[in-house]
Every structure is written in structure tokens, then in C-alpha cells.
Amino acid sequence: MAIVLGPHQYGKAENRVVRIYRDSPRHEIHDVNVSTALRGAFDPAHLVGDQSAVLPTDTQKQTAYAYAKEKGLTSIEPYGLELARHFVDDVEPVTGARIEIEEYAWERVVVDGTEHDFTFVRRGQEVRTAAVTVEGKGDAQRTWVVGGFKDLVLLKTTGSEFHDFLTDEYTLLEPTSDRIMATSLEAKWRFDSAALESAALESSAGFDWEGVYAGVKQTMVEVFATLHSLALQQTLYEMGKAVLERFPMIVELRMSAPNKHHFLYDLAPFGLKNRNEVFNADDRPYGLIQASVLRDDAPAAGAAWDVAGGFA
Ligand SMILES: O=c1[nH]c(=O)c2[nH]c(=O)[nH]c2[nH]1
């Protein structure tokens, strides 16, 4: 038996880069958490401690900050593309790079009815995400971009049912035709890599990353609100389908939705009727419903979903 080195990668995780645009009195802020991971011929570092091919994780960090100025940091997808392509194209031993980014949104405070130029309040809603993977050099290079969000907490007070489910001797759940539906939605959408390779997607100027993000989020929120739901599973599928119908550059969407249970509280001991008015918001355990929706002619996903390489 011989011991061999398996897949490996290394990088700087969670660089907290804050980029301010202050070229006019009205400042802009972009607040991100960016993690880099490089793949390639790094076996000697593991096997014999030879660092000659290892671009330090500190350098990767410095690059993330330098690029926020040199290349700009507005939409997170093109910022991730710049970083990933730089590592693969310009650093000889690197054959693949994965850049994962979270963005924390700020909105302007309002003073005397006017938006303030340089003071912001953290927006309590979702965290936007992006994951860019670049593999291979030159003509063989392939690129995958996944946009997304997490922690989008949604709740509807009616318009949700759950009944006619399979039962066995352990089933206690009562069917319901009117319940609260709530979740903290995570969604990730894979852009068409072929479209990415076209010139239009090369720069943030050439592609409306912000518009797509806002549109996907709004589409999902609208479906959550308007679909009379028979199960969270159905809601997820309809949300994903609507996104693919409206956004031709997206080929696949993956969703993860904890079912944030709201149990009707028993007020009978107090002689009170509870007509879906008072609930216990339970935090655990929770149902966890996960689904993906894709075009039947979607190109192969390749390394798009290879989140952090699948390492522990
Ligand atoms: O929307 C739901 N899907 C389920 O699979 C499920 N299971 C459960 O107990 N409640 C629910 N709700």
C-alpha cells in the first residue's frame, strides 16, 4: 500500500475588502468578503515542503485589495473574474482558481428627507454571493460564474397548505389548509459559460450584473408571494422555473430552503380561540427543502458547483 496526495488547493479565506468610491461628494461603498483558492502543481509543498511553486496566501490577499483599486470593485462577479483569471493566466504553476465572494449591502441613511452622501446603515436583508471558477490556460481555459444570495428571510401569513402527505405509524402532523410559510432562502444560479465567453460578459460595463441580480431576487420574491403553495417543494420549483423563463443567460438554479415552522399555539387552556393568530416560531429542528431547476439543454456544470473543492 502506498499513501498518495489527493486533490488539494490553498488560498486566503475571508478577506474583508471595503472599497469606497469617493470621486464625487456622493460616496459609494462595496463591502465584501472574498476567499481565494488556487489549484495546480503544488504537490512538492505537501510532499517535501518545497515552496518554490507556492504563491503565498498573503500575496493572494494583497492582490484582492490591490484589484479593488486597480480593476475596481462594483459588481462582485466581474471582480471575481478579474482575480481568478489573473491567478490562472499570470501565475505559472496555477492551473485553476476559485474565488468565492459575499457582499454585505449598505443603504444611505436619510437626513431631513434627503439621502446622505457618506453615511450608510447596514441593510438587514440577504447577503449576495458569487463564485467564479477558472480552469486551464490559453485556449483551453474554461470559466464558470455562479451568482446568488443567502439569508433572504421570507414569510407569508396565509396562502400555504400542506396536506394529503404520506403517513405511517409515526405520523403525528395534522394536515393544514392555511399555515404560515417562512424560510431563509439560499439561491445560486449558474450563468451560461458560452455567453460568458462572449465579449459582452467580459466586463462589468458590458453586462448588467446588477440588473440580473435584482431581477432574479424580485422574481423569486414575487413567486413566493403569489403562488398559492401546496408545499415548500412546489414553491421552490416555481421560483426556479420563473427565473429560468425570465433570464436566458441563467442555465441552472439551486435552492436551499429551511422550513421555518410556525406552530399554532394552544390557547385553549386559557379559554381562548386561536384562529391562526398566535404562533410559536420554532427554530429547530427545521425541515430543509433543497432543489435545483435547470434547462434540459443546459451545458455540463463542470467545476461551477465545486464549492471550496469539497474539502472538509
Ligand atoms: O412544505 C412542506 N414540505 C414538507 O416536506 C413538509 N414536511 C412537514 O412536516 N411539513 C412540510 N412542509
Side-chain angles (χ1 to χ4, degrees), residues 151-166:
D151 304 334
L152 183 69
V153 182
L154 296 168
L155 181 149
K156 61 196 293 186
T157 56
T158 188
S160 165
E161 309 184 18
F162 191 67
H163 48 76
D164 296 320
F165 41 80
L166 188 63

Side-chain angles (χ1 to χ4, degrees), residues 54-111:
V54 173
L55 186 74
T57 66
D58 187 70
T59 305
Q60 299 175 40
K61 170 181 119 179
Q62 311 303 348
T63 310
Y65 284 89
Y67 266 35
K69 168 72 181 175
E70 254 186 283
K71 308 287 180 182
L73 171 47
T74 52
S75 299
I76 55 179
E77 292 94 344
Y79 172 69
L81 276 166
E82 292 280 8
L83 281 171
R85 286 184 175 146
H86 160 68
F87 290 125
V88 176
D89 291 344
D90 305 336
V91 184
E92 204 273 323
V94 176
T95 57
R98 169 101 176 167
I99 311 294
E100 294 184 0
I101 307 173
E102 295 185 345
E103 180 175 22
Y104 312 114
W106 295 88
E107 65 189 19
R108 289 174 197 285
V109 303
V110 174
V111 179

Side-chain angles (χ1 to χ4, degrees), residues 162 173 179 181 231-233 259 261 289:
F162 191 67
L173 187 71
R179 65 173 184 174
M181 178 179 271
L232 190 48
Q233 284 90 331
N259 190 356
H261 302 299
I289 315 298

Side-chain angles (χ1 to χ4, degrees), residues 175-188:
T176 174
S177 58
D178 188 1
R179 65 173 184 174
I180 288 179
M181 178 179 271
T183 188
S184 175
L185 186 63
E186 177 168 4
K188 294 177 177 177

Side-chain angles (χ1 to χ4, degrees), residues 95-259:
T95 57
R98 169 101 176 167
I99 311 294
E100 294 184 0
I101 307 173
E102 295 185 345
E103 180 175 22
Y104 312 114
W106 295 88
E107 65 189 19
R108 289 174 197 285
V109 303
V110 174
V111 179
D112 293 335
T114 307
E115 287 187 345
H116 200 261
D117 278 346
F118 53 83
T119 307
F120 301 83
V121 58
R122 180 83 154 250
R123 216 166 60 208
Q125 270 194 14
E126 84 286 0
V127 171
R128 181 170 168 178
T129 62
V132 176
T133 312
V134 170
E135 267 186 7
K137 309 237 184 207
D139 288 346
Q141 187 162 94
R142 303 198 59 196
T143 301
W144 295 272
V145 178
V146 174
F149 57 70
K150 62 180 187 179
D151 304 334
L152 183 69
V153 182
L154 296 168
L155 181 149
K156 61 196 293 186
T157 56
T158 188
S160 165
E161 309 184 18
F162 191 67
H163 48 76
D164 296 320
F165 41 80
L166 188 63
T167 61
D168 68 8
E169 67 269 39
Y170 299 113
T171 303
L172 287 180
L173 187 71
E174 293 289 335
T176 174
S177 58
D178 188 1
R179 65 173 184 174
I180 288 179
M181 178 179 271
T183 188
S184 175
L185 186 63
E186 177 168 4
K188 294 177 177 177
W189 48 92
R190 172 162 64 99
F191 287 92
D192 184 358
S193 285
L196 269 184
E197 273 140 31
S198 77
L201 285 183
E202 289 289 322
S203 69
S204 51
F207 182 71
D208 186 11
W209 296 101
E210 298 306 303
V212 169
Y213 180 78
V216 170
K217 179 180 153 193
Q218 181 59 25
T219 300
M220 296 184 80
V221 168
E222 277 174 16
V223 172
F224 183 88
T226 56
L227 179 78
H228 185 96
S229 175
L230 299 177
L232 190 48
Q233 284 90 331
Q234 182 197 25
T235 298
L236 289 191
Y237 177 72
E238 291 296 332
M239 288 195 295
K241 182 164 155 273
V243 168
L244 293 184
E245 283 168 354
R246 288 184 204 172
F247 297 91
M249 72 294 285
I250 295 173
V251 295
E252 180 182 3
L253 188 120
R254 294 188 176 185
M255 292 157 286
S256 190
N259 190 356

